[in-house]
Amino acid sequence: MTDVLAGAGRGSRATWSIKCSEATVVDVAQTLELFRFADEVQSVAIEVVCGAPLVMGAERYYPAEIVLRSDFGNGRIRLQVSREDLDEWDRCLDALQAEEGAQWPAGDRSAWVEVVPDDPVEVTVHDSPSTRISVLVPIDVASDWLEENRVRLDRVRAVISASA
């Protein structure tokens, strides 16, 4: 597969097709990571199913999950991601680069994450509004974590744009 489809693909479902410059994928909904904060012990990631969206009015929502993995505990929380949410995550990356904190996605419609760029980076997963449980995960990220997460965002945008 091309770089657009590479990385963190967990599964696939038959729903759509896209054509890339180096490969053609037909009838596959690719699951890609929108972002990942990880070290050798734990991680927090967002996995987005870049297939047929749920259409509500003018907005399209793609199924996603916040995935937390740790020696202490593991969990998954479902949410929906829109193109506007992707733009918002881009702004969050800018804030993190400026050493400011970020909360994503905005609003109270689903679970969300809060990222504080300390040493180590602190990622808090909030399951709100359903259970109101929050889990803070300190992560010793690699030095290129910001660039890697920008590449992940670009991949998700490219696949979603190609499927529209």
Side-chain angles (χ1 to χ4, degrees), residues 69-70 82 110:
R69 292 190 176 99
S70 171
S82 68
S110 66

Side-chain angles (χ1 to χ4, degrees), residues 44 66 68 77 112-114 123-127 133-136:
V44 175
I66 300 172
L68 185 148
I77 304 166
W112 56 284
V113 295
E114 179 179 4
V123 181
T124 305
V125 178
H126 300 270
D127 183 21
I133 294 173
S134 296
V135 178
L136 175 99

Side-chain angles (χ1 to χ4, degrees), residues 35 37 89 96 100-104 113-117 121-124 145:
F35 63 77
F37 297 91
W89 179 242
L96 292 169
E100 300 170 3
Q103 296 180 356
W104 183 91
V113 295
E114 179 179 4
V115 183
V116 178
V121 170
E122 295 178 352
V123 181
T124 305
W145 66 271

